[in-house]
Amino acid sequence: SQTIHQWPATLVQPVGSPLSLECTVEGTSNPNLYWYRQAAGRGLQLLFYSVGIGQISSEVPQNLSASRPQDRQFILSSKKLLLSDSGFYLCAWRSPGTDTQYFGPGTRLTVL
Amino acid sequence: QQPVQSPQAVILREGEDAVINCSSSKALYSVHWYRQKHGEAPVFLMILLKGGEQKGHEKISASFNEKKQQSSLYLTASQLSYSGTYFCGTERRLNNNDMRFGAGTRLTVKP
């Protein structure tokens, strides 16, 4: 069966510091991968998606970036965090050509 | 492009019914429903792919009116475990990677 992992689970970072969040998927090959952000009490905002290694599509211009160095690994990064980057970051996956998208457990980021 | 959900919040007593609506201004290929408990990730409930299709999950079912570009989620005889925020996600094409989510409907079920 497929599983998706995210780490860290929680993170507190000062403004201006770098960020690296990791997402890995097990039990599937060549998944489509997604990064979403959820601000407190708000909906889900699609940030990036990837259909293959090295292929990244950005949905929202911001100070975040994403990379996919391996087939089942998706990384969200920032060089300098802003207060507005605080939120719940969710990674999601789906098998290509299928319709169902599944979310990982999420990383709660607080920028102080 | 973001679908519109209504109501924003609803409070029920155990055993009561509720309907959550999701509408889009664009033609849709699919509608996805998720439930999120506080502090947790959204959990997939069901997907609707065809106009007029209805699906069920325990006492939770949903319909999709393709012509009206609307979907409704029906919760019958609600249980305490149904509490959470319900999100609809919509897509205009398969594999388009353009799923957009509504702002969510917060459902609270009280004893």
Side-chain angles (χ1 to χ4, degrees):
Chain A
S1 63
Q2 299 89 359
T3 56
I4 179 169
H5 305 278
Q6 287 187 245
W7 61 86
T10 60
L11 190 60
V12 180
Q13 292 284 92
V15 169
S17 64
L19 173 74
S20 181
L21 303 181
E22 190 166 343
C23 168
T24 58
V25 182
E26 297 178 355
T28 187
S29 296
N30 196 31
N32 291 349
L33 296 172
Y34 309 84
W35 278 113
Y36 287 87
R37 177 170 60 198
Q38 186 177 34
R42 307 292 294 274
L44 300 159
Q45 180 186 33
L46 179 63
L47 301 176
F48 301 94
Y49 68 87
S50 171
V51 299
I53 296 175
Q55 300 179 58
I56 307 295
S57 295
S58 174
E59 289 292 308
V60 182
Q62 61 224 322
N63 69 322
L64 299 172
S65 62
S67 62
R68 186 168 175 175
Q70 300 180 38
D71 180 44
R72 291 169 289 174
Q73 184 184 32
F74 204 22
I75 296 172
L76 184 69
S77 304
S78 174
K79 293 183 179 179
K80 288 185 178 181
L81 284 169
L82 307 172
L83 286 173
S84 58
D85 291 325
S86 293
F88 193 36
Y89 287 82
L90 291 153
C91 181
W93 74 275
R94 90 165 58 175
S95 291
T98 66
D99 299 300
T100 305
Q101 191 166 298
Y102 299 97
F103 286 91
T107 294
R108 190 163 303 280
L109 172 67
T110 303
V111 182
L112 301 175
Chain B
Q1 288 187 346
Q2 184 180 10
V4 176
Q5 284 186 239
S6 63
Q8 290 185 332
V10 59
I11 300 174
L12 301 173
R13 292 287 180 189
E14 260 187 304
E16 292 181 340
D17 302 339
V19 180
I20 299 172
N21 299 303
C22 174
S23 64
S24 172
S25 60
K26 305 282 186 181
L28 298 175
Y29 164 77
S30 64
V31 179
H32 309 234
W33 285 98
Y34 291 81
R35 177 171 62 208
Q36 185 179 31
K37 300 280 187 177
H38 182 69
E40 299 179 7
V43 173
F44 173 76
L45 293 177
M46 65 188 77
I47 179 175
L48 300 106
L49 297 175
K50 298 177 183 178
E53 182 179 16
Q54 281 194 281
K55 282 198 170 182
H57 175 78
E58 297 177 343
K59 292 183 180 178
I60 300 173
S61 61
S63 63
F64 178 21
N65 187 320
E66 191 177 343
K67 288 183 180 179
K68 292 185 177 180
Q69 297 161 187
Q70 293 177 345
S71 178
S72 294
L73 187 71
Y74 307 95
L75 301 102
T76 58
S78 58
Q79 306 168 14
L80 294 176
S81 62
Y82 287 2
S83 292
T85 300
Y86 290 78
F87 292 97
C88 70
T90 57
E91 289 187 305
R92 289 186 286 158
R93 290 195 300 273
L94 173 64
N95 259 355
N96 208 40
N97 296 300
D98 70 344
M99 180 150 27
R100 297 291 185 266
F101 286 89
T105 296
R106 179 173 292 188
L107 179 75
T108 304
V109 181
K110 295 187 174 181

